[in-house]
Amino acid sequence: MKSRILLALPLLFAAFDISACKKSAEAVKPVEAFGAYDTEADWNDSTKLVNLGYQEAQGKRIFYQYCVWCHADATPAGPSNRSNLTPVPPLLNDGEKLNGESDEFMRNIITLGGSALGKSAMMPPYGKTLSAGEIQAVIAFTRAIAQPPYQRPGRPGSQYTAK
Ligand code: HEC
């Protein structure tokens, strides 16, 4: 029995060798996202990729762990819970809604939860689960995927860039 396995070993190695050869023969394709830490498919157009910087990529991971269940229609585990909630939470890429909210408001509602801001208690508080930096990262991710695209406020205190 043992000797049969031993006999089969060189064959196994040969098989690995062949597949390894094939791989290294493939041409290296230039990656569009070269230099990005991660990418996210545009939620409105899956043929487009959004390149994410370091903080935005951290925020993406936090979003897919904590927020995707209510703030997206699809999750890596299947359909989300979003449509079962009242009020229906905004999609995290909903620029019409979220571009007008200041970073400070976003920080507050994520940290303290909806009820602390007179909104629905269905929005949980994350101040004890996430650090301030993690909350800032998830806001950066929100801004990165916003449709229509988010523009930084032009003046302090204003949510709109001067035209
Ligand atoms: C259990 C469901 C649920 C989860 C999980 C959840 N939210 Fe929410 N969220 C809501 C609901 C519901 C609202 C709407 C509250 C309202 O309008 O009264 C909301 C509102 C918000 C708003 C404010 C939108 C606005 O303009 O009024 C932000 C920002 C937000 N959520 C971010 C997040 C982030 C970031 C996470 C993950 C860290 C998260 N939420 C996780 C349900 C959820």
Side-chain angles (χ1 to χ4, degrees), residues 4-154:
R4 258 203 217 155
I5 292 172
L6 283 179
L7 276 176
L9 269 180
L11 274 177
L12 255 179
F13 282 128
F16 275 123
D17 273 358
I18 290 165
S19 63
C21 282
K22 254 194 199 156
K23 270 220 170 113
S24 58
E26 255 174 40
V28 179
K29 290 186 201 122
V31 181
E32 233 179 84
F34 186 72
Y37 284 87
D38 199 349
T39 57
E40 175 74 356
D42 185 324
W43 291 11
N44 299 346
D45 177 358
S46 59
T47 64
K48 283 192 203 143
L49 281 183
V50 180
N51 287 348
L52 303 177
Y54 180 79
Q55 191 188 35
E56 295 158 353
Q58 301 281 59
K60 171 178 170 170
R61 279 186 279 283
I62 290 156
F63 172 75
Y64 277 101
Q65 185 173 356
Y66 294 100
C67 326
V68 68
W69 320 109
C70 298
H71 285 281
D73 284 326
T75 79
S80 80
N81 203 23
R82 179 169 174 259
S83 56
N84 299 322
L85 299 175
T86 317
V88 178
L91 292 172
L92 204 77
N93 78 330
D94 183 351
E96 303 276 359
K97 173 126 184 122
L98 298 177
N99 287 353
E101 309 284 23
S102 65
D103 281 12
E104 191 188 10
F105 168 82
M106 302 270 283
R107 238 184 340 260
N108 285 338
I109 192 162
I110 300 166
T111 308
L112 304 170
S115 60
L117 287 130
K119 297 207 150 212
S120 167
M122 290 302 296
M123 168 62 198
Y126 287 95
K128 295 215 165 91
T129 318
L130 300 173
S131 70
E134 287 170 326
I135 291 171
Q136 201 50 50
V138 88
I139 296 170
F141 175 66
T142 309
R143 301 314 196 189
I145 62 168
Q147 285 302 333
Y150 174 75
Q151 293 188 308
R152 290 248 143 251

